[in-house]
Amino acid sequence: MLTGRTSDERGVALILTLFLSIVVAGMAVGVILMASNSNLISKFHANEAMMAAAADGGLEKGRDTLNGTPTIVPVGLGFVTLELNAVVRDANGVVIPGFTRSLYAGENGDTTGQFGNFASVIAVISNTRGAVVVRRIQLKQDSFSRFARFFNTWGCCMWGNQEVVFGPVHSNQGMAIQNRGGFPGATFWGPVTTVNAIGGQAQANWNGGVQTGVPAIPFPSVATLANLQNFAITSGTVVTGYATLGDSVPDTRIEFVPLDLNGDGDFQDADEGFIRVFKASAGGVQQDKRDYINARRWGTAASPMRNGVAWPAASTQATDINLYSPNCGGNLTIGANPPRWFRADSIYTMGTALGWIANQIRDSARVALTGASRRCYLGGDPALYNGSASFEVTGNAYGTWLPWAGWGGAPPAAITNRLLAMGVPAGQVAAVGSTFWPITRAMNPNFKGIIYVNGSVALSGLLRGRVTVATTGDVTLADDITYTVPPGTTCWDILGVLTQRDVYYQNNSVNGIFKATNLAGVNAWRVQWDDSPNETFDGFYLTLGLIKGEYYTAPAEPLIAPEACAGTSRGCKIIVGGTIQQGISATYSGQTGWAEADTYDGCGITNPPPYYPTTGRFTKNRYYEMDPVGFNVAAWFAANQ
């Protein structure tokens, strides 16, 4: 028989009970620790959020300080301390215990102003436990090119004629709206702000909003514009004219002329932007030379003879104002030869040499000036000389194209090779190529975007590049100014114009209309002197004077298609960009002058013209969270200026 040993198992139950107690206690401790850790994490995140909020509040305080004290930021290098270990207050002004805040501000990035004026405000928040939060906001000063229209004063005129205005508008005084025939005086699609009240405010559509009673924006000064000359000196883009004879009669004109250097059929490469400068020669009758440069009507009551040549028989200035013009002409058939384009003055010279009688000369010029091929060009245009390269080298009695000193007399092979491909004779290609002034850094490494003119200047052409033209005299818009890439797209091209005097929409033989008599003796207003019925001026035009429509009230001109635009005789004047001016002036009166059909280029906000004046007001550009480990504010500004 087997026998077993009986054991006492009460000890096992005790051990199990103790083990379970330990497990339960451990779980309880874990729960307590987890809850405590969660509470600590929550407190940490709350503390971090409070520190970040304190930093963000400091950044806004810093931006407000900069806008309230425009000169507080050091120019160029260095920074200013706005607060140092200051207490932090909540929205109710109560001190938040345990926090201190330091605020610093200084310029950063390119501090020259070529690409805009930038500053940074840095906020450093610390607490008693050694935690640090660093935040930075980059600010950008608003350029005056952010405005479609800006008026420092408002005087003579009203918005009317159902005008449509795009982009931001500001007046440092008030404005006035005119209502005609029950239609809105004007429609505004962008925000409008004025310091004073708007007369007839109910007569306009304010689709972008309107606000009166805003603070005035300081207007630029002569010193602001004059400081730009130094930038042009280093790049060899200073143009010096003669003494000013009067309003809107420059002796120099600048034409934007891109050159397709690689022959790919466009002008969009980085090295293809140029200008050419045509200047009146010294001595002689300066008024004649300036009239030629600007394509003025050639017959005036004050000048019955031009260059000593009397008006042809049986004609007067009233009936044949451009009969002896060196700027206008058309096709003429001589003998058995095929039709050829002649200038009016060359017809007179040629007819005299051939022994024609006065009536033959007169009638031949009339045929050219009233035929379908009639055209007018600004002085120096190669089309006036049938593309003759020799003219571009030697000039004429009125003036010549100026060479760029930076070439040293020998332009690079890229230019000469392209001119050879275009048909310029090898013996003249170097002289012609020297008249192309580069306005990109690819061929002019010192170019900073500034062309400076001592005197008055006429502008026209096709722009490739980012350029600001600053001048001490008047600026006349002598013909279309457009970009190689349309405004508002890539922002590759942009033009800024700054003048201490006035800007004129020039009423010359290219932009306007004039009378001419045909073989039937019919004296009438003629059109099609230009390549388009309207005038387009891309760019932003800032003047310490006025922007004027030249002679827009006289003489009384008829409405003639295709020039008629919105009931005016000369067609539309189209600014694609903005106008910033001391006062306000008109461009049309009744049916005479140019109708305004302006539009806005948003690149003026994001990519303003080089060194364009700013309003002094900083707006937000970018926001950054910065690594606080080892952060040193002096080292940061030194490395980022």
Side-chain angles (χ1 to χ4, degrees):
M1 181 179 73
L2 296 174
T3 61
R5 187 174 55 184
T6 303
S7 299
D8 190 353
E9 297 181 355
R10 289 178 295 177
V12 173
L14 178 61
I15 292 172
L16 289 173
T17 301
L18 290 173
F19 178 74
L20 289 173
S21 298
I22 292 171
V23 170
V24 171
M27 292 176 63
V29 171
V31 169
I32 293 171
L33 289 174
M34 289 176 64
S36 176
N37 188 53
S38 176
N39 187 46
L40 289 173
I41 292 173
S42 178
K43 287 183 177 180
F44 173 79
H45 283 302
N47 190 59
E48 182 186 38
M50 291 175 64
M51 294 177 73
D56 292 345
L59 296 179
E60 284 301 309
K61 182 178 181 181
R63 184 171 73 94
D64 186 65
T65 301
L66 266 59
N67 284 331
T69 316
T71 59
I72 197 172
V73 178
V75 177
L77 304 179
F79 64 96
V80 61
T81 301
L82 305 179
E83 287 184 350
L84 185 61
N85 298 325
V87 297
V88 179
R89 299 179 184 273
D90 62 18
N92 296 317
V94 178
V95 173
I96 302 175
F99 289 177
T100 60
R101 180 172 63 204
S102 298
L103 290 178
Y104 310 94
E107 292 188 348
N108 76 283
D110 173 24
T111 60
T112 67
Q114 180 174 355
F115 306 103
N117 291 351
F118 298 88
S120 282
V121 174
I122 297 176
V124 180
I125 307 297
S126 303
N127 68 9
T128 54
R129 295 184 177 183
V132 179
V133 168
V134 182
R135 297 289 187 268
R136 176 170 75 94
I137 186 171
Q138 187 188 62
L139 306 173
K140 182 178 182 180
Q141 272 192 336
D142 284 338
S143 170
F144 272 96
S145 64
R146 74 179 301 273
F147 293 105
R149 305 284 188 91
F150 183 102
F151 308 97
N152 195 39
T153 60
W154 186 279
C156 71
C157 309
M158 300 182 181
W159 297 103
N161 201 30
Q162 303 179 53
E163 291 180 72
V164 179
V165 186
F166 298 92
V169 177
H170 176 82
S171 170
N172 270 345
Q173 292 186 344
M175 294 195 311
I177 309 295
Q178 184 181 44
N179 185 8
R180 287 185 175 180
F183 294 98
T187 297
F188 297 86
W189 287 97
V192 178
T193 54
T194 65
V195 174
N196 299 326
I198 300 174
Q201 182 172 334
Q203 307 301 326
N205 292 325
W206 308 99
N207 295 335
V210 58
Q211 185 179 3
T212 61
V214 303
I217 297 174
F219 201 58
S221 65
V222 171
T224 303
L225 275 57
N227 289 337
L228 298 177
Q229 183 172 6
N230 290 332
F231 297 118
I233 290 174
T234 60
S235 61
T237 50
V238 175
V239 178
T240 301
Y242 302 115
T244 301
L245 289 184
D247 291 344
S248 66
V249 285
D251 54 70
T252 305
R253 80 176 184 92
I254 292 175
E255 184 166 4
F256 300 104
V257 186
L259 193 59
D260 182 12
L261 295 179
N262 59 6
D264 64 354
D266 65 44
F267 303 110
Q268 298 178 9
D269 297 284
D271 58 350
E272 295 184 339
F274 298 88
I275 61 171
R276 301 187 76 198
V277 181
F278 193 88
K279 182 179 178 181
S281 56
V285 182
Q286 279 291 312
Q287 187 63 52
D288 283 4
K289 296 178 179 182
R290 298 181 190 217
D291 285 351
Y292 166 77
I293 288 174
N294 296 278
R296 296 293 193 185
R297 276 71 160 182
W298 204 243
T300 65
S303 300
M305 300 177 65
R306 307 304 291 263
N307 285 342
V309 179
W311 224 249
S315 63
T316 66
Q317 292 91 347
T319 59
D320 295 283
I321 194 168
N322 270 331
L323 196 64
Y324 188 62
S325 171
N327 299 99
C328 302
N331 283 349
L332 185 66
T333 301
I334 301 177
N337 298 314
R340 180 185 167 194
W341 199 93
F342 288 90
R343 300 187 318 272
D345 69 331
S346 68
I347 294 173
Y348 189 92
T349 303
M350 176 183 62
T352 302
L354 293 175
W356 294 354
I357 63 174
N359 284 358
Q360 285 179 292
I361 297 174
R362 178 201 65 194
D363 290 348
S364 295
R366 284 177 172 178
V367 168
L369 291 173
T370 57
S373 62
R374 60 183 180 272
R375 285 289 299 274
C376 294
Y377 299 93
L378 297 173
D381 194 300
L384 292 169
Y385 304 90
N386 293 308
S388 168
S390 60
F391 159 73
E392 297 192 46
V393 173
T394 61
N396 60 12
Y398 303 107
T400 190
W401 293 102
L402 301 181
W404 185 54
W407 295 137
I415 292 179
T416 56
N417 290 341
R418 189 60 193 155
L419 293 177
L420 284 171
M422 294 167 59
V424 176
Q428 298 169 344
V429 69
V432 174
S434 294
T435 64
F436 286 83
W437 299 32
I439 55 170
T440 65
R441 287 189 175 180
M443 286 196 172
N444 187 353
N446 292 323
F447 185 66
K448 299 184 182 300
I450 297 295
I451 301 169
Y452 195 88
V453 181
N454 286 301
S456 296
V457 66
L459 300 178
S460 64
L462 180 62
L463 171 66
R464 171 65 182 104
R466 304 182 56 81
V467 174
T468 293
V469 178
T471 174
T472 61
D474 294 318
V475 172
T476 62
L477 306 182
D479 199 3
D480 298 286
I481 303 173
T482 54
Y483 300 159
T484 61
V485 179
T489 53
T490 62
C491 299
W492 284 1
D493 303 327
I494 197 163
L495 172 65
V497 174
L498 308 173
T499 173
Q500 301 175 19
R501 289 170 59 94
D502 296 320
V503 173
Y504 290 88
Y505 307 118
Q506 194 176 99
N507 183 25
N508 56 14
S509 297
V510 177
N511 292 342
I513 63 176
F514 59 85
K515 285 185 176 182
T517 302
N518 61 19
L519 284 181
V522 177
N523 178 235
W525 294 94
R526 312 284 175 172
V527 297
Q528 297 175 339
W529 301 110
D530 195 5
D531 54 356
S532 64
N534 303 311
E535 297 302 319
T536 299
F537 307 109
D538 294 346
F540 294 85
Y541 301 85
L542 187 154
T543 166
L544 303 188
L546 302 176
I547 298 180
K548 304 177 180 180
E550 189 181 40
Y551 309 130
Y552 67 91
T553 60
E557 300 167 347
L559 301 179
I560 307 175
E563 299 292 315
C565 172
T568 58
S569 59
R570 299 177 196 165
C572 280
K573 176 274 300 177
I574 306 169
I575 293 282
V576 186
T579 56
I580 302 95
Q581 51 192 314
Q582 171 63 38
I584 181 172
S585 184
T587 63
Y588 65 90
S589 176
Q591 68 182 30
T592 301
W594 295 273
E596 295 185 353
D598 299 343
T599 189
Y600 184 59
D601 180 5
C603 294
I605 294 178
T606 58
N607 293 276
Y611 297 102
Y612 216 66
T614 64
T615 66
R617 182 170 182 80
F618 286 98
T619 55
K620 298 177 184 178
N621 191 40
R622 294 178 180 177
Y623 176 85
Y624 300 88
E625 296 183 9
M626 303 183 69
D627 186 355
V629 178
F631 177 76
N632 181 281
V633 65
W636 187 91
F637 276 109
N640 289 278
Q641 291 179 330

